[in-house]
Amino acid sequence: MPLDWLPTEQTTQDATNADCRIRFSRLLPESADNQRNDHAHGTPNLSEPPRIEQDMSRLTILEFPDPRLRSKARPVTTADFTPAFQTLLDDMFETMYAAPGIGLAASQVDVHLRFMVIDISEEKNEPRVFINPEILSKDGQTTYQEGCLSVPGIFADVNRADRIRVRALDRHGEPYELDADGLLAICIQHEMDHLDGRLFVDYLSPLKRDLVKKRLAKQRRGAA
């Protein structure tokens, strides 16, 4: 399934029939000059926290093989807990719910900080913020057919731990630990991959990854 997400029939019962596709518009980093320089070199500017536009509510998703998706996000620090950061969290949830969706990692919207938002509830009333998440333990194994809006239209089976224990900070910087299983555990692992510069296609063979690149390139040519 797309774990920024669109469940397939295989996982409909776990996702409680949630339609989970997410769409974004652009989040501008720091300044226009820095944006041009960073994009020209294919790497984000991580020297200081990104400047977040206060009036934006929709964010643009980066698509494979954009090299910025391969950047490893840096930890969120005390200095990052600003009103603008809280606005970004709200905008990420708003975008996710409007899509509708259940998960979004900051790296996918060109903000290379270690945080993500998730809500797998059918009623959209269980928002979860994971800042500087780390998996403390894993147990069991399950296979889900995953996809991703950074790799549109592509799906593949991925093996992941069925149960995990994760430690993170909430949106106010308070630490907590959470035991997760099933869909929530898969979603957390998928989004954490993004923070480390990994995509679900990395679990495929090199041949299949090349086929994915060619298919996406063909799709883009057709849309041009």
Side-chain angles (χ1 to χ4, degrees), residues 46-92:
L46 303 181
S47 60
E48 60 182 85
R51 183 174 300 164
I52 300 165
E53 298 295 329
Q54 294 284 349
D55 60 349
M56 288 189 175
S57 59
R58 298 297 176 88
L59 313 174
T60 297
I61 193 168
L62 302 177
E63 292 188 0
F64 177 76
D66 192 309
R68 289 168 290 174
L69 288 168
R70 297 304 187 179
S71 299
K72 186 171 182 178
R74 70 162 176 82
V76 175
T77 66
T78 302
D80 295 316
F81 284 90
T82 63
F85 181 72
Q86 298 300 322
T87 297
L88 174 60
L89 290 172
D90 291 339
D91 289 346
M92 289 175 71

mmCIF file of all heavy atoms in Angstrom, residues 46-92:
data_model
loop_
_atom_site.group_PDB
_atom_site.id
_atom_site.type_symbol
_atom_site.label_atom_id
_atom_site.label_comp_id
_atom_site.label_asym_id
_atom_site.label_seq_id
_atom_site.Cartn_x
_atom_site.Cartn_y
_atom_site.Cartn_z
ATOM 1 N N LEU A 46 21.083 22.302 5.232
ATOM 2 C CA LEU A 46 20.800 21.856 6.591
ATOM 3 C C LEU A 46 21.585 22.659 7.617
ATOM 4 O O LEU A 46 21.675 22.270 8.778
ATOM 5 C CB LEU A 46 21.146 20.369 6.741
ATOM 6 C CG LEU A 46 20.436 19.435 5.785
ATOM 7 C CD1 LEU A 46 20.844 17.995 6.066
ATOM 8 C CD2 LEU A 46 18.931 19.582 5.877
ATOM 9 N N SER A 47 22.159 23.792 7.226
ATOM 10 C CA SER A 47 22.990 24.553 8.141
ATOM 11 C C SER A 47 22.200 25.241 9.225
ATOM 12 O O SER A 47 22.719 25.590 10.269
ATOM 13 C CB SER A 47 23.808 25.590 7.360
ATOM 14 O OG SER A 47 22.934 26.476 6.673
ATOM 15 N N GLU A 48 20.910 25.495 9.007
ATOM 16 C CA GLU A 48 20.069 26.111 10.013
ATOM 17 C C GLU A 48 18.644 25.644 9.787
ATOM 18 O O GLU A 48 18.293 25.130 8.734
ATOM 19 C CB GLU A 48 20.162 27.630 9.932
ATOM 20 C CG GLU A 48 19.734 28.214 8.591
ATOM 21 C CD GLU A 48 19.901 29.710 8.557
ATOM 22 O OE1 GLU A 48 21.013 30.171 8.256
ATOM 23 O OE2 GLU A 48 18.912 30.410 8.856
ATOM 24 N N PRO A 49 17.767 25.799 10.801
ATOM 25 C CA PRO A 49 16.387 25.346 10.633
ATOM 26 C C PRO A 49 15.729 26.029 9.451
ATOM 27 O O PRO A 49 15.998 27.203 9.170
ATOM 28 C CB PRO A 49 15.725 25.775 11.963
ATOM 29 C CG PRO A 49 16.853 25.874 12.928
ATOM 30 C CD PRO A 49 18.029 26.350 12.117
ATOM 31 N N PRO A 50 14.872 25.294 8.707
ATOM 32 C CA PRO A 50 14.210 25.897 7.552
ATOM 33 C C PRO A 50 13.272 27.000 7.971
ATOM 34 O O PRO A 50 12.665 26.942 9.039
ATOM 35 C CB PRO A 50 13.435 24.716 6.941
ATOM 36 C CG PRO A 50 13.252 23.775 8.072
ATOM 37 C CD PRO A 50 14.469 23.915 8.938
ATOM 38 N N ARG A 51 13.170 28.021 7.144
ATOM 39 C CA ARG A 51 12.217 29.094 7.384
ATOM 40 C C ARG A 51 10.885 28.663 6.817
ATOM 41 O O ARG A 51 10.759 28.419 5.620
ATOM 42 C CB ARG A 51 12.699 30.391 6.729
ATOM 43 C CG ARG A 51 11.787 31.579 6.988
ATOM 44 C CD ARG A 51 12.423 32.844 6.433
ATOM 45 N NE ARG A 51 13.702 33.093 7.079
ATOM 46 C CZ ARG A 51 14.615 33.931 6.595
ATOM 47 N NH1 ARG A 51 14.395 34.575 5.475
ATOM 48 N NH2 ARG A 51 15.751 34.112 7.239
ATOM 49 N N ILE A 52 9.874 28.572 7.642
ATOM 50 C CA ILE A 52 8.581 28.019 7.243
ATOM 51 C C ILE A 52 7.594 29.154 7.011
ATOM 52 O O ILE A 52 7.432 30.039 7.853
ATOM 53 C CB ILE A 52 8.043 27.066 8.334
ATOM 54 C CG1 ILE A 52 9.047 25.923 8.535
ATOM 55 C CG2 ILE A 52 6.678 26.530 7.966
ATOM 56 C CD1 ILE A 52 8.811 25.145 9.794
ATOM 57 N N GLU A 53 6.979 29.151 5.856
ATOM 58 C CA GLU A 53 6.014 30.185 5.540
ATOM 59 C C GLU A 53 4.750 29.988 6.364
ATOM 60 O O GLU A 53 4.143 28.924 6.368
ATOM 61 C CB GLU A 53 5.670 30.136 4.039
ATOM 62 C CG GLU A 53 6.855 30.396 3.115
ATOM 63 C CD GLU A 53 7.387 31.799 3.250
ATOM 64 O OE1 GLU A 53 6.585 32.704 3.557
ATOM 65 O OE2 GLU A 53 8.597 31.995 3.059
ATOM 66 N N GLN A 54 4.332 31.048 7.053
ATOM 67 C CA GLN A 54 3.232 30.938 7.996
ATOM 68 C C GLN A 54 1.875 30.706 7.325
ATOM 69 O O GLN A 54 0.993 30.124 7.911
ATOM 70 C CB GLN A 54 3.159 32.222 8.842
ATOM 71 C CG GLN A 54 4.370 32.428 9.748
ATOM 72 C CD GLN A 54 4.340 31.535 10.973
ATOM 73 O OE1 GLN A 54 3.319 30.909 11.246
ATOM 74 N NE2 GLN A 54 5.425 31.459 11.694
ATOM 75 N N ASP A 55 1.706 31.214 6.085
ATOM 76 C CA ASP A 55 0.379 31.198 5.485
ATOM 77 C C ASP A 55 0.149 29.991 4.592
ATOM 78 O O ASP A 55 -0.850 29.915 3.903
ATOM 79 C CB ASP A 55 0.153 32.486 4.693
ATOM 80 C CG ASP A 55 1.176 32.667 3.582
ATOM 81 O OD1 ASP A 55 2.166 31.913 3.567
ATOM 82 O OD2 ASP A 55 0.972 33.568 2.752
ATOM 83 N N MET A 56 1.064 29.033 4.589
ATOM 84 C CA MET A 56 0.905 27.867 3.729
ATOM 85 C C MET A 56 0.180 26.751 4.470
ATOM 86 O O MET A 56 0.404 26.533 5.653
ATOM 87 C CB MET A 56 2.272 27.367 3.249
ATOM 88 C CG MET A 56 2.909 28.291 2.225
ATOM 89 S SD MET A 56 4.376 27.549 1.497
ATOM 90 C CE MET A 56 4.763 28.777 0.267
ATOM 91 N N SER A 57 -0.677 26.042 3.770
ATOM 92 C CA SER A 57 -1.358 24.909 4.374
ATOM 93 C C SER A 57 -1.227 23.653 3.524
ATOM 94 O O SER A 57 -1.553 22.578 4.008
ATOM 95 C CB SER A 57 -2.843 25.229 4.586
ATOM 96 O OG SER A 57 -3.453 25.534 3.352
ATOM 97 N N ARG A 58 -0.784 23.773 2.294
ATOM 98 C CA ARG A 58 -0.592 22.623 1.426
ATOM 99 C C ARG A 58 0.873 22.541 1.012
ATOM 100 O O ARG A 58 1.466 23.552 0.653
ATOM 101 C CB ARG A 58 -1.492 22.717 0.194
ATOM 102 C CG ARG A 58 -2.980 22.726 0.542
ATOM 103 C CD ARG A 58 -3.414 21.435 1.215
ATOM 104 N NE ARG A 58 -4.798 21.478 1.618
ATOM 105 C CZ ARG A 58 -5.813 21.119 0.833
ATOM 106 N NH1 ARG A 58 -5.577 20.720 -0.407
ATOM 107 N NH2 ARG A 58 -7.041 21.180 1.266
ATOM 108 N N LEU A 59 1.414 21.350 1.070
ATOM 109 C CA LEU A 59 2.840 21.153 0.849
ATOM 110 C C LEU A 59 3.077 20.246 -0.354
ATOM 111 O O LEU A 59 2.290 19.348 -0.631
ATOM 112 C CB LEU A 59 3.478 20.540 2.105
ATOM 113 C CG LEU A 59 3.105 21.207 3.436
ATOM 114 C CD1 LEU A 59 3.678 20.420 4.597
ATOM 115 C CD2 LEU A 59 3.573 22.643 3.450
ATOM 116 N N THR A 60 4.160 20.477 -1.064
ATOM 117 C CA THR A 60 4.486 19.688 -2.254
ATOM 118 C C THR A 60 5.321 18.476 -1.879
ATOM 119 O O THR A 60 6.268 18.583 -1.103
ATOM 120 C CB THR A 60 5.276 20.545 -3.264
ATOM 121 O OG1 THR A 60 4.457 21.619 -3.693
ATOM 122 C CG2 THR A 60 5.696 19.716 -4.465
ATOM 123 N N ILE A 61 4.988 17.344 -2.449
ATOM 124 C CA ILE A 61 5.757 16.133 -2.183
ATOM 125 C C ILE A 61 6.846 15.957 -3.239
ATOM 126 O O ILE A 61 6.629 16.224 -4.416
ATOM 127 C CB ILE A 61 4.846 14.891 -2.144
ATOM 128 C CG1 ILE A 61 5.588 13.706 -1.562
ATOM 129 C CG2 ILE A 61 4.289 14.582 -3.508
ATOM 130 C CD1 ILE A 61 4.697 12.532 -1.222
ATOM 131 N N LEU A 62 8.027 15.561 -2.788
ATOM 132 C CA LEU A 62 9.114 15.237 -3.701
ATOM 133 C C LEU A 62 8.886 13.845 -4.281
ATOM 134 O O LEU A 62 8.375 12.961 -3.595
ATOM 135 C CB LEU A 62 10.457 15.266 -2.965
ATOM 136 C CG LEU A 62 10.833 16.568 -2.273
ATOM 137 C CD1 LEU A 62 12.167 16.411 -1.535
ATOM 138 C CD2 LEU A 62 10.902 17.720 -3.263
ATOM 139 N N GLU A 63 9.276 13.661 -5.539
ATOM 140 C CA GLU A 63 9.068 12.371 -6.188
ATOM 141 C C GLU A 63 10.386 11.730 -6.570
ATOM 142 O O GLU A 63 11.321 12.403 -7.016
ATOM 143 C CB GLU A 63 8.174 12.523 -7.425
ATOM 144 C CG GLU A 63 6.745 12.901 -7.093
ATOM 145 C CD GLU A 63 5.843 12.846 -8.312
ATOM 146 O OE1 GLU A 63 6.334 12.515 -9.422
ATOM 147 O OE2 GLU A 63 4.641 13.129 -8.174
ATOM 148 N N PHE A 64 10.457 10.429 -6.402
ATOM 149 C CA PHE A 64 11.586 9.601 -6.824
ATOM 150 C C PHE A 64 11.816 9.803 -8.325
ATOM 151 O O PHE A 64 10.856 9.851 -9.086
ATOM 152 C CB PHE A 64 11.231 8.137 -6.523
ATOM 153 C CG PHE A 64 12.235 7.121 -6.948
ATOM 154 C CD1 PHE A 64 13.396 6.926 -6.232
ATOM 155 C CD2 PHE A 64 12.001 6.338 -8.070
ATOM 156 C CE1 PHE A 64 14.315 5.967 -6.627
ATOM 157 C CE2 PHE A 64 12.904 5.376 -8.466
ATOM 158 C CZ PHE A 64 14.069 5.188 -7.738
ATOM 159 N N PRO A 65 13.071 10.004 -8.780
ATOM 160 C CA PRO A 65 14.327 9.863 -8.036
ATOM 161 C C PRO A 65 14.933 11.182 -7.558
ATOM 162 O O PRO A 65 16.152 11.337 -7.576
ATOM 163 C CB PRO A 65 15.234 9.199 -9.069
ATOM 164 C CG PRO A 65 14.789 9.816 -10.374
ATOM 165 C CD PRO A 65 13.306 10.047 -10.239
ATOM 166 N N ASP A 66 14.135 12.140 -7.133
ATOM 167 C CA ASP A 66 14.658 13.414 -6.634
ATOM 168 C C ASP A 66 15.724 13.145 -5.564
ATOM 169 O O ASP A 66 15.452 12.452 -4.578
ATOM 170 C CB ASP A 66 13.520 14.238 -6.030
ATOM 171 C CG ASP A 66 13.922 15.674 -5.761
ATOM 172 O OD1 ASP A 66 14.977 15.884 -5.121
ATOM 173 O OD2 ASP A 66 13.180 16.586 -6.154
ATOM 174 N N PRO A 67 16.954 13.653 -5.733
ATOM 175 C CA PRO A 67 18.027 13.349 -4.786
ATOM 176 C C PRO A 67 17.768 13.859 -3.376
ATOM 177 O O PRO A 67 18.358 13.350 -2.416
ATOM 178 C CB PRO A 67 19.257 14.031 -5.401
ATOM 179 C CG PRO A 67 18.714 15.082 -6.301
ATOM 180 C CD PRO A 67 17.436 14.514 -6.842
ATOM 181 N N ARG A 68 16.875 14.839 -3.228
ATOM 182 C CA ARG A 68 16.581 15.346 -1.892
ATOM 183 C C ARG A 68 15.896 14.297 -1.020
ATOM 184 O O ARG A 68 15.968 14.363 0.219
ATOM 185 C CB ARG A 68 15.735 16.615 -1.986
ATOM 186 C CG ARG A 68 16.502 17.825 -2.504
ATOM 187 C CD ARG A 68 15.567 18.968 -2.848
ATOM 188 N NE ARG A 68 14.778 18.675 -4.038
ATOM 189 C CZ ARG A 68 13.795 19.453 -4.486
ATOM 190 N NH1 ARG A 68 13.471 20.554 -3.828
ATOM 191 N NH2 ARG A 68 13.137 19.135 -5.585
ATOM 192 N N LEU A 69 15.246 13.332 -1.657
ATOM 193 C CA LEU A 69 14.638 12.244 -0.900
ATOM 194 C C LEU A 69 15.683 11.355 -0.237
ATOM 195 O O LEU A 69 15.364 10.581 0.662
ATOM 196 C CB LEU A 69 13.748 11.398 -1.807
ATOM 197 C CG LEU A 69 12.433 12.035 -2.251
ATOM 198 C CD1 LEU A 69 11.803 11.213 -3.367
ATOM 199 C CD2 LEU A 69 11.474 12.182 -1.077
ATOM 200 N N ARG A 70 16.922 11.460 -0.684
ATOM 201 C CA ARG A 70 18.001 10.629 -0.140
ATOM 202 C C ARG A 70 18.746 11.315 1.005
ATOM 203 O O ARG A 70 19.677 10.747 1.578
ATOM 204 C CB ARG A 70 18.996 10.287 -1.248
ATOM 205 C CG ARG A 70 18.377 9.460 -2.365
ATOM 206 C CD ARG A 70 17.753 8.200 -1.830
ATOM 207 N NE ARG A 70 17.296 7.286 -2.871
ATOM 208 C CZ ARG A 70 16.727 6.115 -2.619
ATOM 209 N NH1 ARG A 70 16.542 5.727 -1.371
ATOM 210 N NH2 ARG A 70 16.337 5.332 -3.600
ATOM 211 N N SER A 71 18.356 12.521 1.338
ATOM 212 C CA SER A 71 19.009 13.239 2.429
ATOM 213 C C SER A 71 18.551 12.683 3.774
ATOM 214 O O SER A 71 17.362 12.460 3.989
ATOM 215 C CB SER A 71 18.680 14.739 2.358
ATOM 216 O OG SER A 71 19.142 15.294 1.155
ATOM 217 N N LYS A 72 19.495 12.468 4.668
ATOM 218 C CA LYS A 72 19.157 12.009 6.005
ATOM 219 C C LYS A 72 18.785 13.213 6.855
ATOM 220 O O LYS A 72 19.562 14.154 6.997
ATOM 221 C CB LYS A 72 20.328 11.252 6.628
ATOM 222 C CG LYS A 72 19.981 10.616 7.964
ATOM 223 C CD LYS A 72 21.089 9.695 8.441
ATOM 224 C CE LYS A 72 20.692 9.022 9.752
ATOM 225 N NZ LYS A 72 21.744 8.087 10.224
ATOM 226 N N ALA A 73 17.600 13.193 7.413
ATOM 227 C CA ALA A 73 17.105 14.329 8.189
ATOM 228 C C ALA A 73 17.896 14.479 9.489
ATOM 229 O O ALA A 73 18.282 13.492 10.111
ATOM 230 C CB ALA A 73 15.620 14.149 8.492
ATOM 231 N N ARG A 74 18.124 15.713 9.876
ATOM 232 C CA ARG A 74 18.832 15.956 11.132
ATOM 233 C C ARG A 74 17.841 15.976 12.290
ATOM 234 O O ARG A 74 16.652 16.258 12.112
ATOM 235 C CB ARG A 74 19.604 17.267 11.076
ATOM 236 C CG ARG A 74 18.741 18.529 11.068
ATOM 237 C CD ARG A 74 19.574 19.742 11.454
ATOM 238 N NE ARG A 74 18.835 20.999 11.380
ATOM 239 C CZ ARG A 74 18.035 21.432 12.331
ATOM 240 N NH1 ARG A 74 17.808 20.704 13.412
ATOM 241 N NH2 ARG A 74 17.417 22.601 12.189
ATOM 242 N N PRO A 75 18.302 15.705 13.506
ATOM 243 C CA PRO A 75 17.407 15.731 14.660
ATOM 244 C C PRO A 75 16.805 17.116 14.894
ATOM 245 O O PRO A 75 17.438 18.140 14.633
ATOM 246 C CB PRO A 75 18.310 15.322 15.825
ATOM 247 C CG PRO A 75 19.428 14.562 15.193
ATOM 248 C CD PRO A 75 19.654 15.219 13.858
ATOM 249 N N VAL A 76 15.597 17.132 15.388
ATOM 250 C CA VAL A 76 14.956 18.367 15.811
ATOM 251 C C VAL A 76 15.572 18.782 17.148
ATOM 252 O O VAL A 76 15.746 17.953 18.047
ATOM 253 C CB VAL A 76 13.435 18.166 15.960
ATOM 254 C CG1 VAL A 76 12.772 19.409 16.522
ATOM 255 C CG2 VAL A 76 12.815 17.783 14.617
ATOM 256 N N THR A 77 15.925 20.049 17.281
ATOM 257 C CA THR A 77 16.526 20.555 18.507
ATOM 258 C C THR A 77 15.545 21.481 19.224
ATOM 259 O O THR A 77 14.488 21.843 18.682
ATOM 260 C CB THR A 77 17.821 21.331 18.206
ATOM 261 O OG1 THR A 77 17.496 22.522 17.465
ATOM 262 C CG2 THR A 77 18.781 20.468 17.389
ATOM 263 N N THR A 78 15.922 21.888 20.427
ATOM 264 C CA THR A 78 15.083 22.804 21.195
ATOM 265 C C THR A 78 14.806 24.077 20.419
ATOM 266 O O THR A 78 13.697 24.620 20.469
ATOM 267 C CB THR A 78 15.756 23.135 22.534
ATOM 268 O OG1 THR A 78 15.982 21.925 23.260
ATOM 269 C CG2 THR A 78 14.884 24.064 23.370
ATOM 270 N N ALA A 79 15.795 24.557 19.672
ATOM 271 C CA ALA A 79 15.638 25.789 18.902
ATOM 272 C C ALA A 79 14.596 25.666 17.802
ATOM 273 O O ALA A 79 14.078 26.689 17.316
ATOM 274 C CB ALA A 79 16.985 26.201 18.305
ATOM 275 N N ASP A 80 14.286 24.447 17.385
ATOM 276 C CA ASP A 80 13.302 24.243 16.312
ATOM 277 C C ASP A 80 11.864 24.354 16.795
ATOM 278 O O ASP A 80 10.946 24.463 15.971
ATOM 279 C CB ASP A 80 13.512 22.873 15.659
ATOM 280 C CG ASP A 80 14.841 22.757 14.943
ATOM 281 O OD1 ASP A 80 15.200 23.707 14.227
ATOM 282 O OD2 ASP A 80 15.520 21.729 15.109
ATOM 283 N N PHE A 81 11.648 24.316 18.104
ATOM 284 C CA PHE A 81 10.278 24.365 18.629
ATOM 285 C C PHE A 81 9.798 25.811 18.671
ATOM 286 O O PHE A 81 9.742 26.449 19.721
ATOM 287 C CB PHE A 81 10.211 23.705 20.011
ATOM 288 C CG PHE A 81 10.254 22.214 19.968
ATOM 289 C CD1 PHE A 81 11.466 21.554 20.014
ATOM 290 C CD2 PHE A 81 9.092 21.467 19.862
ATOM 291 C CE1 PHE A 81 11.520 20.156 19.974
ATOM 292 C CE2 PHE A 81 9.131 20.072 19.805
ATOM 293 C CZ PHE A 81 10.346 19.420 19.862
ATOM 294 N N THR A 82 9.463 26.320 17.504
ATOM 295 C CA THR A 82 9.022 27.698 17.334
ATOM 296 C C THR A 82 7.552 27.714 16.935
ATOM 297 O O THR A 82 6.976 26.677 16.572
ATOM 298 C CB THR A 82 9.846 28.366 16.223
ATOM 299 O OG1 THR A 82 9.583 27.675 14.991
ATOM 300 C CG2 THR A 82 11.339 28.317 16.534
ATOM 301 N N PRO A 83 6.912 28.882 16.969
ATOM 302 C CA PRO A 83 5.538 28.965 16.455
ATOM 303 C C PRO A 83 5.426 28.506 15.006
ATOM 304 O O PRO A 83 4.428 27.883 14.622
ATOM 305 C CB PRO A 83 5.211 30.459 16.613
ATOM 306 C CG PRO A 83 6.033 30.896 17.776
ATOM 307 C CD PRO A 83 7.327 30.133 17.641
ATOM 308 N N ALA A 84 6.450 28.786 14.202
ATOM 309 C CA ALA A 84 6.418 28.355 12.804
ATOM 310 C C ALA A 84 6.432 26.841 12.701
ATOM 311 O O ALA A 84 5.794 26.260 11.813
ATOM 312 C CB ALA A 84 7.603 28.955 12.043
ATOM 313 N N PHE A 85 7.169 26.187 13.592
ATOM 314 C CA PHE A 85 7.211 24.723 13.597
ATOM 315 C C PHE A 85 5.839 24.155 13.946
ATOM 316 O O PHE A 85 5.376 23.188 13.328
ATOM 317 C CB PHE A 85 8.261 24.247 14.601
ATOM 318 C CG PHE A 85 8.418 22.752 14.669
ATOM 319 C CD1 PHE A 85 9.027 22.054 13.639
ATOM 320 C CD2 PHE A 85 7.959 22.035 15.765
ATOM 321 C CE1 PHE A 85 9.173 20.674 13.693
ATOM 322 C CE2 PHE A 85 8.109 20.663 15.838
ATOM 323 C CZ PHE A 85 8.710 19.983 14.795
ATOM 324 N N GLN A 86 5.170 24.761 14.919
ATOM 325 C CA GLN A 86 3.821 24.318 15.281
ATOM 326 C C GLN A 86 2.856 24.523 14.121
ATOM 327 O O GLN A 86 1.976 23.694 13.869
ATOM 328 C CB GLN A 86 3.335 25.070 16.527
ATOM 329 C CG GLN A 86 4.174 24.842 17.775
ATOM 330 C CD GLN A 86 4.215 23.383 18.195
ATOM 331 O OE1 GLN A 86 3.213 22.669 18.099
ATOM 332 N NE2 GLN A 86 5.377 22.925 18.646
ATOM 333 N N THR A 87 3.027 25.620 13.394
ATOM 334 C CA THR A 87 2.197 25.860 12.216
ATOM 335 C C THR A 87 2.414 24.796 11.160
ATOM 336 O O THR A 87 1.465 24.316 10.530
ATOM 337 C CB THR A 87 2.496 27.250 11.629
ATOM 338 O OG1 THR A 87 2.161 28.254 12.587
ATOM 339 C CG2 THR A 87 1.702 27.492 10.346
ATOM 340 N N LEU A 88 3.677 24.426 10.966
ATOM 341 C CA LEU A 88 3.985 23.381 9.990
ATOM 342 C C LEU A 88 3.316 22.070 10.374
ATOM 343 O O LEU A 88 2.739 21.389 9.514
ATOM 344 C CB LEU A 88 5.488 23.192 9.881
ATOM 345 C CG LEU A 88 5.952 22.026 8.989
ATOM 346 C CD1 LEU A 88 5.468 22.215 7.557
ATOM 347 C CD2 LEU A 88 7.471 21.894 9.025
ATOM 348 N N LEU A 89 3.360 21.705 11.646
ATOM 349 C CA LEU A 89 2.692 20.478 12.085
ATOM 350 C C LEU A 89 1.202 20.537 11.774
ATOM 351 O O LEU A 89 0.615 19.576 11.256
ATOM 352 C CB LEU A 89 2.916 20.260 13.581
ATOM 353 C CG LEU A 89 4.328 19.879 14.017
ATOM 354 C CD1 LEU A 89 4.430 19.882 15.545
ATOM 355 C CD2 LEU A 89 4.724 18.517 13.473
ATOM 356 N N ASP A 90 0.567 21.677 12.088
ATOM 357 C CA ASP A 90 -0.858 21.828 11.799
ATOM 358 C C ASP A 90 -1.132 21.717 10.304
ATOM 359 O O ASP A 90 -2.103 21.084 9.879
ATOM 360 C CB ASP A 90 -1.361 23.173 12.314
ATOM 361 C CG ASP A 90 -1.394 23.247 13.831
ATOM 362 O OD1 ASP A 90 -1.413 22.181 14.478
ATOM 363 O OD2 ASP A 90 -1.378 24.366 14.375
ATOM 364 N N ASP A 91 -0.268 22.331 9.496
ATOM 365 C CA ASP A 91 -0.463 22.280 8.044
ATOM 366 C C ASP A 91 -0.281 20.872 7.512
ATOM 367 O O ASP A 91 -0.974 20.454 6.575
ATOM 368 C CB ASP A 91 0.514 23.226 7.348
ATOM 369 C CG ASP A 91 0.174 24.690 7.579
ATOM 370 O OD1 ASP A 91 -0.941 24.975 8.052
ATOM 371 O OD2 ASP A 91 1.036 25.547 7.288
ATOM 372 N N MET A 92 0.651 20.120 8.094
ATOM 373 C CA MET A 92 0.843 18.740 7.662
ATOM 374 C C MET A 92 -0.379 17.900 7.973
ATOM 375 O O MET A 92 -0.834 17.102 7.148
ATOM 376 C CB MET A 92 2.101 18.163 8.314
ATOM 377 C CG MET A 92 3.397 18.758 7.746
ATOM 378 S SD MET A 92 4.889 18.208 8.608
ATOM 379 C CE MET A 92 4.980 16.488 8.070
#
